[in-house]
Amino acid sequence: MTHAHQRLGSKPLLSVEETAILLGQSRSSIYRAIDRGDLPLPVVKISGRWRVPRRAVERLLEGEAVAPRLNPAPCPCGRLPGGPPR
């Protein structure tokens, strides 16, 4: 386990950057997936920042199914990410 993984081990919610590190993806890739609504992880927006449950990331890495987004936020165009236009 790397130092980054050890540091993240006890946090129940991860930032987008921390999630990207664990998944081996770029931060911008994770943000794009959130915006499109196709990140295969639940996400929640707290104080304007996206958070991802650590356990959901662990389950995804273990090959288990994970729940959909917890708190979809509308984009400025007035639709939910990944949804049809209103």
Side-chain angles (χ1 to χ4, degrees), residues 24-54:
Q25 300 293 313
S26 70
R27 192 176 57 157
S28 55
S29 293
I30 302 297
Y31 277 118
R32 280 194 301 270
I34 291 170
D35 288 342
R36 287 190 310 258
D38 63 3
L39 185 71
L41 294 165
V43 295
V44 63
K45 202 168 207 177
I46 299 173
S47 298
R49 296 178 186 260
W50 289 111
R51 297 289 181 230
V52 180
R54 179 182 52 84

Side-chain angles (χ1 to χ4, degrees), residues 4-75:
H5 289 129
Q6 290 171 341
R7 181 175 54 85
L8 302 176
S10 62
K11 294 175 63 173
L13 294 175
L14 303 173
S15 69
V16 168
E17 184 170 359
E18 292 165 336
T19 301
I21 290 168
L22 291 174
L23 296 178
Q25 300 293 313
S26 70
R27 192 176 57 157
S28 55
S29 293
I30 302 297
Y31 277 118
R32 280 194 301 270
I34 291 170
D35 288 342
R36 287 190 310 258
D38 63 3
L39 185 71
L41 294 165
V43 295
V44 63
K45 202 168 207 177
I46 299 173
S47 298
R49 296 178 186 260
W50 289 111
R51 297 289 181 230
V52 180
R54 179 182 52 84
R55 186 65 191 123
V57 174
E58 291 170 349
R59 282 194 290 254
L60 179 67
L61 292 172
E62 293 166 359
E64 296 178 32
V66 292
R69 179 185 298 234
L70 297 174
N71 182 19
C75 73

